[in-house]
Amino acid sequence: MDTMMLHGLIAVESAPALKLPSAPGKAVARTYPGAPQEAASIELQPLSRTPRPNKSASTSRISFASASGSGHLPKSRTETTIFSVGPELEEQSRPGTPKADSVNHDSANIDGVEAMQSIMEPYMNRWRLLAMCLISLSNGMSDSAPGALIPSIEEYYNIGYAIVSLIFVGNALGFIAGAFFVDAIRERLGRAKTLAVGQGLISLGYMPMIATAPYPAIVVSFFFVGFGMSINLAMGNVFCGSLSNSTTALSMMHGSYGIGGTVGPLLATAMVTVFEVVWSRYYAVSLGLAALGGVCATCAFWDYERDTQQHHLGSSTAGISGGPSGATVAPKRDWRADVTAMVSALSNRVVLLGALFIFAYQGAEVSISGWVNTFLMDSRHVHDGSVGYVTAGFWGGITLGRFLLAPPAHRIGEKLFVVIVVVGACAFQLVVWLVPNLIGNAVAVAIVGLLLGPVYPCAAAVFMRNISKQKQVSGMGVISAFGSSGGAAAPFTTGLLAQAVGTFVLHPIVIGLFVVMMICWYGLPNKPKRSE
């Protein structure tokens, strides 16, 4: 009964079944009359790159819709956003490869990052360096011989100091003329043919000398010799200076010049005094060496541009050709462009200071080589022809300096090392001037050569590091031309003053040139050397 009463009061009902929410409505793409039909889809258009042909296209559609309510909310408008994914999108995550025709032509004026070659790599570089050393050997024999031959030339033509000095002027004018054309010749012919042209002009200049032509023709012959030397010297400096071990390469090249400078006076003095032949026959030996050097350099540098192109990492390939002729494909330039390149090079502080530095250096070197024998004959009263061997000692010192002092120069640093050796050379030049002893003077002259030996290779390495790649050939051509100008102006001035007051003027002129070298060297920047 109690149960019946409780059941009447409380009605026990089962809980209603849990109603799950209905599934969202189907997403349907709709087209609205007021909007373009393409507005319903957002397409990721491919960039302007060519898709890879083997990739299959795949398109994904991603729909976003609002869920309709369970009868309590109105059915919402459903829109679909469609992403079309093609094979191009796989390439957009990585940078595209630039095409050759997309490189701006103006970028050729910017230095590219280039893998530096070495003496041993590529393989032909070792033969190219040997060819340049042979050419430098020939140049050294030619440049050092006048110091030993000047007394014989004066006697043969019956001329004085001032007139015989014109051979230095003719040589310098040839150097200057060659500097204006070396870059244009290289661009049109390539390095191999450029070196062949230089050696051909040198050989042409030796022929009137061998024939003992009248003295005006001899001066003109020295012009052609200077022109050819300007070309091969600029080519050699640029090649050796562009190598990773540039100081070593330049020391070998200019050390070979020193060997020629040592052998030249010895051979010339022996031919004139021992064998008693005419002074001009000496240049038959120089002619043979010039021809041999031209053949070797042409063969060694024949594929130089192709080898250089293979070592480029990021620089522009404009003006480089891998053809068998070795000539570069360069835009044609007229003489105005050549003059503009020279003026542009002169506007560079490194080129200007370097030109003045080499002007003073080569002026001191040629003055000592050309006039120290005459000074010893006049001031020390030595009339034996064997005094010509003192010049050989000077060039022997230069040779040893370039081979033996190059490693210390590399460790100490070219900037500091040049200061040390020039100060030492100035001190021993004072010994030659003030100590009246023939043997002591000969030893002091050899020591001056020893200290001056590494100056040119060290200076060339510093110049190459601080001159941009596009201006290296023209810049080194200007520097070589100024150096030859110093090699003419200083000995010519010495000859004029020696005619008037005496040969002792050699020493104050040389010491003054050493001071000019130090002033210019102080103004040069000290850019660190690349080692990669």
Side-chain angles (χ1 to χ4, degrees):
M1 179 177 179
D2 293 336
T3 303
M4 293 297 295
M5 293 178 60
L6 183 60
H7 181 76
L9 295 175
I10 301 174
V12 179
E13 298 181 357
S14 300
L18 182 62
K19 185 176 182 181
L20 298 175
S22 59
K26 182 179 180 181
V28 179
R30 296 187 179 183
T31 302
Y32 297 93
Q37 191 169 3
E38 292 78 11
S41 299
I42 302 176
E43 298 281 349
L44 294 181
Q45 300 296 337
L47 298 177
S48 58
R49 292 191 178 93
T50 305
R52 296 185 179 180
N54 295 330
K55 298 287 184 178
S56 59
S58 61
T59 303
S60 301
R61 295 177 179 268
I62 305 174
S63 300
F64 299 96
S66 300
S68 62
S70 58
H72 301 284
L73 295 176
K75 189 175 183 180
S76 63
R77 184 180 66 187
T78 304
E79 295 184 5
T80 304
T81 302
I82 303 175
F83 295 93
S84 178
V85 183
E88 300 86 356
L89 291 180
E90 299 182 12
E91 301 295 332
Q92 294 174 6
S93 61
R94 68 190 72 174
T97 302
K99 297 180 180 179
D101 55 0
S102 65
V103 179
N104 191 353
H105 177 70
D106 295 336
S107 64
N109 298 327
I110 303 175
D111 287 348
V113 179
E114 180 181 348
M116 298 187 71
Q117 299 182 10
S118 65
I119 296 176
M120 307 302 290
E121 182 64 32
Y123 178 80
M124 282 301 296
N125 275 1
R126 64 195 73 185
W127 299 108
R128 291 164 184 155
L129 180 59
L130 288 176
M132 295 312 305
C133 289
L134 178 60
I135 290 176
S136 294
L137 175 73
S138 175
N139 292 347
M141 292 184 63
S142 178
D143 285 345
S144 63
L149 295 176
I150 278 178
S152 299
I153 296 174
E154 291 174 350
E155 181 181 358
Y156 186 87
Y157 290 105
N158 194 21
I159 55 179
Y161 296 151
I163 301 301
V164 79
S165 299
L166 290 176
I167 60 176
F168 300 111
V169 177
N171 189 272
L173 292 177
F175 254 90
I176 295 172
F180 277 94
F181 295 101
V182 59
D183 202 17
I185 296 174
R186 179 192 61 84
E187 287 190 354
R188 287 166 173 80
L189 301 180
R191 302 209 182 195
K193 294 180 180 179
T194 300
L195 288 168
V197 169
Q199 292 302 104
L201 290 173
I202 293 174
S203 302
L204 180 64
Y206 287 145
M207 294 178 182
M209 299 181 192
I210 298 173
T212 322
Y215 190 72
I218 299 299
V219 175
V220 175
S221 298
F222 272 92
F223 172 86
F224 285 103
V225 172
F227 196 106
M229 287 185 180
S230 176
I231 292 176
N232 61 42
L233 180 60
M235 292 292 99
N237 283 334
V238 171
F239 168 70
C240 295
S242 63
L243 302 178
S244 58
N245 40 3
S246 58
T247 303
T248 302
L250 287 166
S251 296
M252 293 177 64
M253 173 182 160
H254 293 285
S256 301
Y257 180 90
I259 294 176
T262 305
V263 174
L266 292 175
L267 181 59
T269 302
M271 293 177 67
V272 172
T273 60
V274 178
F275 299 101
E276 297 181 353
V277 299
V278 182
W279 64 270
S280 61
R281 301 299 185 264
Y282 167 81
Y283 288 99
V285 179
S286 299
L287 175 61
L289 288 176
L292 179 61
V295 173
C296 293
T298 303
C299 295
F301 281 88
W302 195 254
D303 291 327
Y304 178 80
E305 282 76 14
R306 184 185 64 185
D307 293 343
T308 302
Q309 185 181 16
Q310 293 174 354
H311 277 74
H312 276 240
L313 292 179
S315 57
S316 173
T317 59
I320 300 177
S321 173
S325 64
T328 56
V329 180
K332 293 183 178 180
R333 306 192 319 180
D334 56 7
W335 64 271
R336 298 179 184 86
D338 301 331
V339 174
T340 302
M342 297 293 294
V343 174
S344 176
L346 278 173
S347 63
N348 187 291
R349 188 184 75 165
V350 176
V351 174
L352 183 59
L353 291 176
L356 294 176
F357 178 87
I358 298 299
F359 177 93
Y361 167 80
Q362 202 159 339
E365 182 184 66
V366 178
S367 296
I368 295 172
S369 173
W371 290 106
V372 68
N373 290 345
T374 307
F375 165 77
L376 293 176
M377 294 174 67
D378 291 346
S379 300
R380 304 296 182 254
H381 308 291
V382 179
H383 301 287
D384 187 2
S386 61
V387 74
Y389 294 117
V390 175
T391 303
F394 173 75
W395 286 104
I398 287 181
T399 304
L400 292 177
R402 288 178 176 173
F403 281 112
L404 300 181
L405 298 183
H410 183 72
R411 290 194 298 267
I412 297 174
E414 288 88 352
K415 288 281 289 184
L416 176 60
F417 189 81
V418 168
V419 174
I420 295 173
V421 295
V422 171
V423 172
C426 184
F428 280 96
Q429 188 66 33
L430 288 172
V431 172
V432 180
W433 183 10
L434 301 177
V435 176
N437 183 275
L438 179 61
I439 297 177
N441 294 157
V443 173
V445 168
I447 295 176
V448 170
L450 176 70
L451 296 175
L452 290 180
V455 171
Y456 199 109
C458 292
V462 172
F463 300 155
M464 290 293 296
R465 289 203 297 266
N466 289 279
I467 300 176
S468 64
K469 185 175 182 297
Q470 281 69 31
K471 293 183 179 181
Q472 283 179 357
V473 174
S474 59
M476 293 305 295
V478 170
I479 291 174
S480 299
F482 268 74
S484 180
S485 301
F492 181 70
T493 304
T494 302
L496 292 177
L497 295 177
Q499 186 89 28
V501 298
T503 55
F504 74 91
V505 297
L506 167 67
H507 307 291
I509 290 176
V510 169
I511 293 173
L513 292 172
F514 287 159
V515 174
V516 174
M517 289 171 60
M518 288 295 92
I519 295 174
C520 297
W521 193 250
Y522 177 79
L524 287 171
N526 189 18
K527 184 177 180 180
K529 182 180 179 180
R530 284 178 58 187
S531 59
E532 67 273 13

